[in-house]
Amino acid sequence: MMGIKWVAVALSLSTATPAAAQALFGWSGSWEITQDRGSCTLRHVAKDPAATEIAITRWTRGWMHVSLAAKATGWPFDPATSPRLLLIVDGVAFSRGSESLSGDAVRNGFTTSLWGEDFTKLLAARTIIFRSYPSEREVSLTLPPSAFAERDLERCLADARIKERGSGATVVTPPRLRGRQENLMTPDDYPGSAIRTQTSGTVTVRLTVTAYGYASDCAVIASSGSEVLDKATCGIYSRRARFEPALDAQGRATAGSYGFTKQWVAPPLPPVMYAPSTIKR
């Protein structure tokens, strides 16, 4: 997670509640931690004096996502004024936090996106303000410290990874790939360095598939002879492949494995274009 350079953050204002499949993992101060199918959610619900309820949620399954959900109950913005909404975090306006709100959006919620450093700001936020204009109405909330909650979120994830083994019994029915293998890669996925060196090869990899149908590990079984192509194969299939999980004799989901063989054929280099020389006379 530390290597992420930019992440999309959805700000969803809706009346959605946590999925019934989630189980309460515990509390860290005023932050609620729930666990659901290999992912963990950190959630805090705050209310302003007008009874507008906003839930700040962070969930992760090896990647991070942060959302703010505001219930329509008590929402102070008047749809008749066609307001625009500005998100202010610790006194600083988000660069992409301004959105026009329709009547339905005010009543039922809307979605926008934030990028880059805004993601880091939101994770570390102590104060969040939603301000509409031209009416200049706003909702202001103070967030509790989340340092210990971050630690407890990692504990939840460690526990979830253990549970992803499912029943742990012997596999009777192996995992089944959702979709077609050829749709998992495009010509644009060919590593640029391998194109420049005209490197080709065939690599066979084996993914460890969790009881929830995600790849948790990748091993190279037969190398292409190129470390670049081997790493690209593992990385792309691990990120994109989704599976129907393996089943044991009782039909329960369990961890299994799935193999891929990928033949890389380097595309030809583009012709080198030379400009005609200019001779001065």
Side-chain angles (χ1 to χ4, degrees), residues 222-247:
S223 174
S224 64
S226 165
E227 184 179 2
V228 171
L229 295 180
D230 291 351
K231 285 185 175 180
T233 304
C234 268
I236 293 171
Y237 284 143
S238 293
R239 291 192 303 271
R240 298 177 184 171
R242 296 293 181 266
F243 302 88
E244 297 296 334
L247 302 177

Side-chain angles (χ1 to χ4, degrees), residues 15-102:
T15 57
T17 56
Q22 288 185 335
L24 181 65
F25 185 80
W27 289 85
S28 184
S30 57
W31 292 89
E32 177 192 62
I33 301 176
T34 54
Q35 192 180 91
D36 178 24
R37 296 179 297 177
S39 67
C40 290
T41 299
L42 189 64
R43 186 169 182 265
H44 171 74
V45 177
K47 291 185 179 181
D48 76 331
T52 300
E53 183 174 302
I54 297 183
I56 296 89
T57 301
R58 172 183 173 181
W59 64 269
T60 180
R61 187 206 290 267
W63 60 85
M64 290 188 290
H65 178 95
V66 177
S67 65
L68 306 181
K71 287 189 176 181
T73 303
W75 193 246
F77 306 127
D78 181 5
T81 64
S82 300
R84 292 181 63 84
L85 187 67
L86 183 66
L87 177 63
I88 303 172
V89 175
D90 291 338
V92 179
F94 269 12
S95 58
R96 292 191 59 191
S98 178
E99 292 289 330
S100 296
L101 302 182
S102 65

Side-chain angles (χ1 to χ4, degrees), residues 1-11 57-67 94-96 112-123:
M1 291 186 288
M2 297 301 292
I4 295 177
K5 299 301 182 183
W6 58 267
V7 177
V9 181
L11 303 183
T57 301
R58 172 183 173 181
W59 64 269
T60 180
R61 187 206 290 267
W63 60 85
M64 290 188 290
H65 178 95
V66 177
S67 65
F94 269 12
S95 58
R96 292 191 59 191
T112 186
S113 294
L114 299 171
W115 304 86
E117 63 180 11
D118 290 340
F119 174 72
T120 304
K121 292 177 185 176
L122 189 57
L123 285 181

Side-chain angles (χ1 to χ4, degrees), residues 39-272:
S39 67
C40 290
T41 299
L42 189 64
R43 186 169 182 265
H44 171 74
V45 177
K47 291 185 179 181
D48 76 331
T52 300
E53 183 174 302
I54 297 183
I56 296 89
T57 301
R58 172 183 173 181
W59 64 269
T60 180
R61 187 206 290 267
W63 60 85
M64 290 188 290
H65 178 95
V66 177
S67 65
L68 306 181
K71 287 189 176 181
T73 303
W75 193 246
F77 306 127
D78 181 5
T81 64
S82 300
R84 292 181 63 84
L85 187 67
L86 183 66
L87 177 63
I88 303 172
V89 175
D90 291 338
V92 179
F94 269 12
S95 58
R96 292 191 59 191
S98 178
E99 292 289 330
S100 296
L101 302 182
S102 65
D104 286 341
V106 172
R107 289 188 295 270
N108 304 320
F110 81 104
T111 299
T112 186
S113 294
L114 299 171
W115 304 86
E117 63 180 11
D118 290 340
F119 174 72
T120 304
K121 292 177 185 176
L122 189 57
L123 285 181
R126 296 302 304 276
T127 302
I128 293 179
I129 296 175
F130 289 105
R131 178 179 297 161
S132 70
Y133 58 94
S135 61
E136 293 296 328
R137 302 190 66 176
E138 69 179 36
V139 174
S140 178
L141 297 132
T142 300
L143 304 184
S146 61
F148 292 110
E150 295 278 333
R151 176 204 62 191
D152 292 338
L153 180 65
E154 292 301 322
R155 289 179 52 246
C156 177
L157 283 173
D159 180 76
R161 283 191 284 269
I162 294 173
K163 293 178 180 177
E164 282 195 344
R165 293 197 297 259
S167 70
T170 302
V171 173
V172 174
T173 304
R176 181 168 59 85
L177 178 67
R178 295 178 180 176
R180 300 172 62 86
Q181 178 180 345
E182 53 265 34
N183 294 336
L184 295 176
M185 290 193 189
T186 71
D188 291 337
D189 292 317
Y190 212 107
S193 59
I195 295 177
R196 289 190 294 272
T197 58
Q198 288 292 278
T199 302
S200 300
T202 300
V203 56
T204 298
V205 300
R206 178 177 295 136
L207 301 184
T208 299
V209 180
T210 72
Y212 297 119
Y214 291 86
S216 64
D217 190 26
C218 178
V220 176
I221 305 303
S223 174
S224 64
S226 165
E227 184 179 2
V228 171
L229 295 180
D230 291 351
K231 285 185 175 180
T233 304
C234 268
I236 293 171
Y237 284 143
S238 293
R239 291 192 303 271
R240 298 177 184 171
R242 296 293 181 266
F243 302 88
E244 297 296 334
L247 302 177
D248 63 17
Q250 281 72 48
R252 299 172 299 180
T254 187
S257 62
Y258 191 94
F260 286 106
T261 296
K262 169 63 178 178
Q263 183 179 21
W264 295 91
V265 179
L269 291 172
V272 179

